[in-house]
Amino acid sequence: VGCKAILVFFQYGVMANFYWLLVEGLYLHILLVLIFSPNRHFTIYLLIGWGIPTVFIITWTVTRIILEDTGCWDTNEHGGPWWVIRIPILISIIVNFILFISIIRILLQKLRSPDVGGNDQSQYKRLAKSTLLLIPLFGVHYTVFALFPDRSSNNYKIIFELCLGSFQGLIVAVLYCFLNSEV
């Protein structure tokens, strides 16, 4: 029971990570689209970041108990319970990628406005810098292997996620906290 509980909390942490990345993307997108938004939507962000993973982890736990209650739940002989977690994570990755593209489009429009000074080269440098800063914040690197089957790309996926995913928190902390004078 302890092993299963630890795995449930582990899966909850993984899913919450993806949904908090989605919350960051939604927050930034709303900041750029609705400049004078009177409310901050913090309750909705909390529900998305903690609530959606809770619903799907409870569903996953129930399906594991009913369909595949063997061992410590670390193997997936039946695909059903695994997809209860995988589909919401894929949806969050896809929505976050769409938000990322939309934000890049908004940044490009703002850089091309007549109010922004500089030549084309400096504007593209700013766009490239903004894009590179947004990649770890949005978890865009997850889209590389999101739609591939696990069996076909497992070795490359592990190496890629270990290299980029492991440093994602550090990169976000350095760029958005430690190097930010407001923080």
Side-chain angles (χ1 to χ4, degrees):
V1 173
C3 181
K4 291 176 183 177
I6 289 170
L7 191 65
V8 167
F9 284 118
F10 172 75
Q11 294 295 347
Y12 178 75
V14 169
M15 186 175 266
N17 175 53
F18 284 102
Y19 275 88
W20 277 107
L21 286 173
L22 179 62
V23 167
E24 290 173 5
L26 285 170
Y27 180 70
L28 186 58
H29 191 265
I30 287 173
L31 280 177
L32 289 173
V33 173
L34 302 174
I35 296 171
F36 299 108
S37 178
N39 59 15
R40 300 273 186 200
H41 312 317
F42 288 123
T43 306
I44 295 169
Y45 296 147
L46 287 173
L47 288 174
I48 293 170
W50 297 120
I52 291 175
T54 301
V55 169
F56 284 106
I57 291 300
I58 290 171
T59 306
W60 176 75
T61 304
V62 170
T63 57
R64 284 300 296 220
I65 291 170
I66 293 171
L67 297 176
E68 194 176 3
D69 194 11
T70 58
C72 186
W73 294 354
D74 57 346
T75 60
N76 297 309
E77 295 173 16
H78 298 90
W82 178 242
W83 285 104
V84 172
I85 292 177
R86 184 117 171 116
I87 288 176
I89 288 175
L90 288 173
I91 289 170
S92 74
I93 289 170
I94 291 168
V95 169
N96 221 9
F97 187 71
I98 292 168
L99 288 172
F100 174 75
I101 297 299
S102 177
I103 288 173
I104 296 301
R105 182 186 53 81
I106 292 169
L107 288 174
L108 186 60
Q109 287 175 351
K110 289 186 181 219
L111 286 175
R112 289 192 175 169
S113 73
D115 297 337
V116 177
N119 56 15
D120 286 340
Q121 187 177 7
S122 69
Q123 290 177 353
Y124 288 117
K125 280 184 182 179
R126 281 191 241 167
L127 179 64
K129 182 180 176 185
S130 300
T131 304
L132 290 174
L133 288 173
L134 289 175
I135 287 173
L137 182 68
F138 276 73
V140 173
H141 59 278
Y142 291 118
T143 59
V144 174
F145 288 102
L147 301 176
F148 286 105
D150 283 335
R151 292 182 183 98
S152 67
S153 62
N154 205 17
N155 292 334
Y156 300 112
K157 181 179 179 179
I158 289 172
I159 293 169
F160 189 76
E161 286 188 359
L162 284 175
C163 291
L164 290 178
S166 297
F167 293 106
Q168 177 186 8
L170 176 66
I171 292 169
V172 169
V174 168
L175 293 176
Y176 295 101
C177 295
F178 303 135
L179 296 178
N180 188 345
S181 62
E182 293 176 8
V183 175

